[in-house]
Amino acid sequence: MAGPRAVWLWLCLSVPGAPGAVRPAPPCPAACLCASDILSCSKRELLTAPAHLPRYAALLDLSHNNLSRLRADWTGQRLARLHTLLLGHNRLAFISGEAFAPVPGLRHLDLSSNRLRALDELLFSQLPRLEVLLLYDNHIAEVDRSAFDGAAGLRRLYLSRNQISRFPLELIRDGAKPPELSLLDLSANHLKSLPLAELGLLPAWLRNGLYLHGNPLVCDCELYRLFRHWELRELSSVVDFREDLACSLPAPPAKRTVGVLGLGGPDLLNCSDFKECAVEAYLGDTLVIGCDARQRGAAREWVTPARERVPGQAANGTAAVLADGSLRIQPVRAEDRGTYTCHAVGEAFNETLYVEVTVYNFTQHRPHDTLNTAYTTLVGCILSVVLVLIYLYLTPCRCWCRGGDGPASHRGDSLSSSMLSTTPNHDPGDGDGKDGGAFDRRVAFLEPAGLGPGQNGKLKPGGALPGPEGLEGRRKLSDPDSVSSVFSDTPIVV
């Protein structure tokens, strides 16, 4: 009874396609060397990829061959385990938009030293796990704005030694770039200008891996301040390639290539230096200070000018560390001024950043408050000018009074006179009108007398001012519509 059972079991395990049958592993391609899940097919002068690659392949090396095209069916079957594909040093000039569909698990892709001229739309969109992409030493001149859409895991992108003349701004913009991108190598291309404003807003961990040396940049002071800032922060993209970071002076007669970091010298553009970590605030404001570390995900700790850790040991109670590592001071007080220190602790190295905070001893005006203040000041100035002009040019007369020890009756006559005449007042007893004494200037407020009923507060035409008894030469009042009556309540100089 045991014999037939043993024969039946042997047949089930040996017949292809039978339930429970053991499938033999496909043989290693003749043009490759296989070591477990590694297939090395390098330097075999292959024109196409080997057919029927084994499914267990995790690393496939096809570099240093003569491959010129990569079609959608180049693998022969789906290679779900493949995480590394090396295609460098071939003659690739065409890559199908579906070429990477059979290898969705790729994390490392090497396409360097080929003949690619453009990166078409959605070329790498089927590689969501891709982390490292090597595209250096090609002939790439055009990069479609959607070429890297879908490659959400991309961390390191090498595009150096190509012919790119437009900075791929879509790779660094928030919401458009691969969120994990930390290295972008654009060195040795044809870039003449850079989006300086956008680059200045990048976090330090991305600027640390943004390589721009070896491009024919045009010199200006904004470019100098950008890279000078990066040098002060000791970013690798500038510190490691300081000598290769050059630009061309636009001044005639001949363009001259100089180092970008030397543009601050007096013999070149004499650009002003960059001042980092200076923050200004007003009393009552809410101030948020970022700790821009070179390492992404570094732990941050803040210390106040009083050497107190935030939070926990801060005595003022207005400072707090936010979830992203920024320091918030709310509300800002006068005692919050000083130098704040941020300690960033990362896996590779530690950093220390200093931020100088200046607090002004007044609150900042709102826009409408500033407008109202300016308007009030302008109206006040205009009114002052008008009053000065009235005093200088619309005063009806200038009366000269004789100084000295004259009779009291004469002095009273001088002060009580409301006649605004262009003829200077003389002492009645002085026949020739000359007086060797000093002149005396007096200010008097006129109070017209002789107002009768029905005159509406005006002096009677032809009326006379009351004066001391026996005073000769009583002065006549002017017409009520004259200038003297209009300004009867105005102080004048007599």
Side-chain angles (χ1 to χ4, degrees):
M1 297 294 295
R5 283 189 177 183
V7 173
W8 178 82
L9 180 61
W10 178 82
L11 291 175
C12 290
L13 294 178
S14 60
V15 176
V22 178
R23 297 180 181 179
C28 181
C32 303
L33 295 177
C34 298
S36 183
D37 57 356
I38 298 176
L39 277 69
S40 177
C41 312
S42 178
K43 298 181 180 180
R44 300 293 181 175
E45 298 184 358
L46 299 176
L47 298 178
T48 59
H52 305 293
L53 293 170
R55 295 182 179 180
Y56 60 79
L59 187 152
L60 177 60
D61 185 1
L62 291 170
S63 62
H64 296 275
N65 282 290
N66 296 324
L67 279 67
S68 59
R69 304 173 72 86
L70 202 64
R71 299 183 180 275
D73 57 349
W74 66 275
T75 61
Q77 58 183 334
R78 184 181 177 87
L79 303 178
R81 300 183 185 180
L82 191 68
H83 60 73
T84 301
L85 177 60
L86 307 179
L87 290 168
H89 295 275
N90 276 278
R91 299 179 181 180
L92 288 174
F94 171 78
I95 298 179
S96 170
E98 300 293 328
F100 302 113
V103 288
L106 274 186
R107 296 197 302 270
H108 186 108
L109 176 59
D110 183 4
L111 292 170
S112 62
S113 299
N114 278 282
R115 300 179 181 180
L116 298 175
R117 296 184 177 276
L119 300 180
D120 298 332
E121 60 180 346
L122 303 175
L123 181 59
F124 304 103
S125 61
Q126 296 174 331
L127 299 175
R129 300 180 183 178
L130 186 63
E131 298 178 3
V132 180
L133 177 57
L134 308 180
L135 287 165
Y136 61 85
D137 194 23
N138 275 276
H139 306 284
I140 300 173
E142 298 181 4
V143 179
D144 191 86
R145 298 180 183 273
S146 64
F148 302 97
D149 286 0
L154 188 61
R155 296 176 180 268
R156 307 169 72 87
L157 175 58
Y158 297 84
L159 284 166
S160 61
R161 298 181 61 84
N162 278 285
Q163 301 174 11
I164 300 173
S165 58
R166 180 191 67 85
F167 187 92
L169 194 59
E170 59 276 2
L171 290 176
I172 63 173
R173 280 180 174 166
D174 290 338
K177 68 178 180 63
E180 301 295 328
L181 188 66
S182 60
L183 187 147
L184 176 59
D185 187 359
L186 291 169
S187 61
N189 274 278
H190 294 174
L191 297 175
K192 294 184 178 180
S193 61
L194 300 174
L196 300 179
E198 286 81 0
L199 297 185
L201 298 176
L202 292 178
W205 54 265
L206 183 52
R207 286 177 287 166
N208 188 62
L210 181 56
Y211 295 91
L212 297 167
H213 58 276
N215 281 283
L217 300 171
V218 178
C219 298
D220 60 32
C221 288
E222 292 297 327
L223 182 69
Y224 164 75
R225 279 187 284 270
L226 177 73
F227 288 118
R228 175 57 177 160
H229 179 200
W230 295 10
E231 183 187 34
L232 293 174
R233 291 296 313 276
E234 298 182 355
L235 301 184
S236 300
S237 55
V238 172
V239 174
D240 296 344
F241 297 93
R242 183 183 288 104
E243 293 77 12
D244 297 326
L245 197 59
C247 61
S248 300
L249 291 171
K255 293 184 178 181
R256 182 162 59 104
T257 301
V258 298
V260 174
L261 298 177
L263 295 178
D267 55 336
L268 294 177
L269 297 185
N270 196 22
C271 299
S272 60
D273 208 347
F274 180 86
K275 296 182 179 180
E276 187 185 18
C277 300
V279 180
E280 297 179 349
Y282 297 88
L283 294 178
D285 285 354
T286 297
L287 181 62
V288 178
I289 309 171
C291 184
D292 197 6
R294 286 180 289 168
Q295 296 184 82
R296 189 174 188 180
R300 296 169 175 84
E301 182 180 83
W302 285 91
V303 178
T304 68
R307 300 184 181 278
E308 298 172 337
R309 187 173 59 87
V310 182
Q313 299 179 8
N316 56 25
T318 63
V321 179
L322 303 179
D324 60 354
S326 301
L327 176 67
R328 183 185 64 190
I329 304 175
Q330 181 184 14
V332 174
R333 304 181 301 178
E335 53 267 31
D336 292 328
R337 65 170 56 93
T339 302
Y340 290 80
T341 306
C342 177
H343 299 288
V345 181
E347 297 180 358
F349 53 86
N350 300 336
E351 297 179 79
T352 301
L353 289 82
Y354 302 94
V355 180
E356 182 69 25
V357 176
T358 302
V359 179
Y360 294 106
N361 290 326
F362 53 88
T363 58
Q364 189 176 18
H365 290 290
R366 295 185 296 272
H368 63 275
D369 293 338
T370 304
L371 179 61
N372 291 339
T373 302
Y375 178 76
T376 304
T377 303
L378 178 61
V379 171
C381 292
I382 295 176
L383 183 59
S384 300
V385 172
V386 170
L387 291 177
V388 170
L389 293 177
I390 291 176
Y391 176 78
L392 293 177
Y393 296 104
L394 295 184
T395 301
C397 72
R398 296 180 182 272
C399 300
W400 299 89
C401 299
R402 175 182 176 182
D405 300 330
S409 61
H410 291 186
R411 292 193 298 271
D413 176 60
S414 176
L415 290 174
S416 61
S417 175
S418 63
M419 179 61 184
L420 303 179
S421 172
T422 58
T423 304
N425 290 338
H426 301 287
D427 193 329
D430 192 355
D432 55 2
K434 296 181 180 180
D435 189 359
F439 291 100
D440 189 12
R441 301 171 61 89
R442 298 181 177 86
V443 178
F445 288 89
L446 305 182
E447 297 180 0
L451 299 178
Q455 294 299 322
N456 195 20
K458 295 184 179 181
L459 296 177
K460 296 179 181 180
L465 283 174
E469 295 295 336
L471 182 62
E472 298 178 359
R474 297 170 65 90
R475 291 175 173 83
K476 298 293 184 179
L477 294 176
S478 61
D479 190 284
D481 295 329
S482 66
V483 175
S484 61
S485 63
V486 174
F487 293 93
S488 61
D489 293 330
T490 304
I492 63 173
V493 179
V494 296

